[in-house]
């Protein structure tokens, strides 16, 4: 699709991101593409994703300059408008971003010339027993070191509301939705339901539901599985639970996961992609499920998820590999794929690297 308007999300705390933004604006001017800065840190305080995109003129491409956190902010906007999102890596991890600053112009050219692949990623949304709000007395504490809070999620007007199914909220999560304790000395007690059936009651520091994309984020740090982004699944992971069963549950994409705060629990915060969006009291609940929307991520070629995982986690540098001598060689598929393997997803042989690789 031809790009006519570009929305630019820049991590203002990184001088290299500010410098890269000058290059993006120059590229846009050269190709008669309207370019609008979207300041989701300051000017965007109190504005919903829909209002942000309207103010930016509804761009059909969102470019993020920063790390994975900046990408998550841009993804929230792009999903609202079904826009493409291109992440330029200026962070420390770079699981989500696609290209480097040095290859950024080539990546933009590839988008304009429509010689890219579009990676469709699962998103999460939720219903709740009531609207989510952050109490006024907590706002200053929550803002400390984090920038402005996002506005409370709006109620979706296209969905029915009743006591059984609750309130449908305009929420988009690429990584995870988390229910976590607010007090260091008091865990949250939560009943967990999968497809409407009680699974277990947990007392834990937090309980989270992640997408395959988010399986390498908080869920991974809590001991959850790494899930291929090609998979369609919801990953439930308890964080420091006080019970023998501490395993993750991988549910199907059509199996919603409910989290109900129990009677004797302390208050719990609801975080969406790492940003607090509300507080639940005992008796409150949320239901997390796959969103009908998808995020459309720009890829400059087939994504090498496992290569990226290997590099980011330094897996070939494990002590056991060093002790055994040379690291395992890469398995390079160079010949024609046998007929009995033709239905599998295997690496594509390239003549040269794609931009940013």
């Amino acid at each position: 699709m031809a790009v006519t308007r570009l929305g630019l999300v820049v991590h203002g705390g990184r001088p290299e991101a500010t410098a890269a933004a000058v290059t993006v604006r120059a590229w846009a001017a050269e190709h008669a593409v309207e370019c609008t800065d979207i300041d989701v840190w300051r000017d965007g305080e109190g504005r919903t994703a829909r209002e942000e995109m309207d103010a930016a003129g509804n761009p059909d491409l969102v470019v993020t300059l920063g790390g994975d956190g900046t990408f998550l902010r841009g993804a929230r906007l792009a999903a609202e408008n079904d826009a493409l999102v291109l992440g330029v890596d200026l962070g420390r991890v770079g699981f989500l971003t696609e290209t480097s600053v040095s290859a950024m112009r080539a990546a933009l050219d590839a988008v304009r010339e429509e010689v890219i692949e579009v990676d469709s990623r699962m998103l999460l949304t939720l219903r709740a027993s009531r609207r989510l709000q952050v109490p006024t007395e907590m706002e200053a504490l929550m803002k400390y070191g984090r920038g402005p809070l996002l506005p409370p999620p709006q109620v979706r007007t296209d969905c029915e509301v009743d006591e059984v199914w609750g309130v449908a909220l305009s929420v988009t999560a690429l990584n995870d939705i988390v229910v976590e304790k607010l007090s260091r000395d008091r865990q949250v007690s939560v009943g967990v339901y999968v497809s409407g059936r009680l699974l277990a009651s947990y007392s834990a520091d937090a309980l989270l539901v992640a997408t395959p994309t988010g399986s390498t984020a908080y869920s991974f740090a809590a001991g959850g599985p790494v899930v291929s982004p090609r998979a369609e699944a919801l990953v439930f992971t308890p964080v420091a639970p006080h019970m023998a069963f501490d395993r993750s549950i991988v549910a199907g994409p059509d199996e919603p996961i409910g989290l109900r705060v129990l009677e004797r629990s302390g208050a719990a915060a609801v975080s969406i992609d790492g940003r607090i969006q509300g507080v639940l009291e005992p008796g409150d609940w949320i239901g997390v499920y796959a969103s009908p929307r998808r995020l459309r991520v720009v890829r400059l070629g087939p994504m090498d998820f496992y290569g990226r995982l290997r590099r980011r986690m330094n897996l070939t540098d494990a002590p056991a590999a060093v002790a055994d001598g040379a690291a395992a060689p890469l398995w390079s598929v160079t010949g024609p794929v046998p007929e009995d393997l033709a239905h599998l997803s295997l690496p594509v042989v390239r003549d040269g690297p794609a931009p940013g690789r």
Side-chain angles (χ1 to χ4, degrees), residues 48-261:
T48 66
R50 179 69 270 158
E51 291 167 339
E52 288 282 4
M53 292 300 274
D54 288 343
N58 292 309
D60 38 41
L61 171 66
V62 174
V63 176
T64 70
L65 304 177
D68 283 352
T70 307
F71 183 88
L72 286 171
R73 294 171 187 253
R76 166 179 165 264
L77 304 177
E80 183 68 28
N81 211 46
D82 197 33
L84 291 170
V85 59
L86 170 66
V88 179
D89 184 22
L90 291 157
R92 295 185 296 273
V93 180
F95 260 111
L96 302 176
T97 51
E98 177 65 6
T99 190
S100 63
V101 172
S102 62
M104 183 174 61
R105 286 187 69 99
L108 290 168
D109 288 338
V111 174
R112 179 173 175 271
E113 295 164 10
E114 302 185 45
V115 289
I116 59 170
E117 297 195 9
V118 177
D119 186 5
S120 176
R121 293 293 180 98
M122 173 189 284
L123 299 168
L124 298 177
T125 189
L126 61 80
R127 281 179 174 255
S129 53
R130 59 178 175 83
R131 293 189 63 171
L132 295 181
Q133 299 279 349
V134 176
T136 304
E137 61 272 17
M138 287 182 54
E139 287 190 6
L141 177 63
M142 293 298 101
K143 287 183 181 180
Y144 182 75
R146 297 170 181 250
L149 293 178
L150 290 174
Q154 300 295 305
V155 175
R156 290 178 55 187
T157 57
D158 59 331
C159 298
E160 296 181 5
V161 176
D162 60 41
E163 293 182 0
V164 175
W165 298 106
V167 180
L169 298 177
S170 182
V171 165
T172 298
L174 176 60
N175 270 353
D176 49 47
I177 294 176
V178 182
V179 172
E180 55 191 320
K181 68 180 185 180
L182 282 174
S183 175
R184 182 179 180 185
D185 63 351
R186 189 169 186 181
Q187 293 190 311
V188 290
S189 297
V190 178
V192 177
Y193 304 78
V194 179
S195 285
R197 299 295 297 274
L198 178 64
L199 172 68
S201 296
Y202 291 81
S203 180
D205 283 359
L207 301 112
L208 64 91
V209 182
T211 62
T213 300
S215 71
T216 53
Y218 189 8
S219 179
F220 176 81
V226 174
V227 181
S228 166
R230 292 172 58 89
E232 296 287 310
L234 276 66
V235 182
F236 164 74
T237 301
V239 182
H242 276 208
M243 60 188 298
F245 185 75
D246 60 355
R247 299 292 192 267
S248 297
I249 300 293
V250 180
D254 57 350
E255 296 179 317
I257 297 177
L259 305 170
R260 180 185 294 274
V261 182

Side-chain angles (χ1 to χ4, degrees), residues 313-353:
M313 300 298 180
N314 294 318
L315 298 183
T316 55
D317 295 333
V322 175
D324 290 339
L330 296 181
W331 186 356
S332 179
V333 180
T334 57
V337 177
E339 185 176 346
D340 62 311
L341 302 180
H343 64 291
L344 302 180
S345 175
L346 295 170
V348 176
V349 179
R350 295 180 179 280
D351 294 329

Side-chain angles (χ1 to χ4, degrees), residues 227-298:
V227 181
S228 166
R230 292 172 58 89
E232 296 287 310
L234 276 66
V235 182
F236 164 74
T237 301
V239 182
H242 276 208
M243 60 188 298
F245 185 75
D246 60 355
R247 299 292 192 267
S248 297
I249 300 293
V250 180
D254 57 350
E255 296 179 317
I257 297 177
L259 305 170
R260 180 185 294 274
V261 182
L262 301 180
E263 179 183 359
R264 296 184 181 275
S265 174
V270 178
S271 295
I272 299 168
D273 280 347
R275 294 171 67 86
I276 292 178
Q277 289 276 264
V279 173
L280 300 179
E281 299 292 343
D284 291 337
W285 57 264
I286 62 171
V288 181
Y289 55 98
S291 172
R293 289 180 176 169
R294 308 282 295 193
L295 180 67
R296 302 197 305 137
V297 182
V298 172

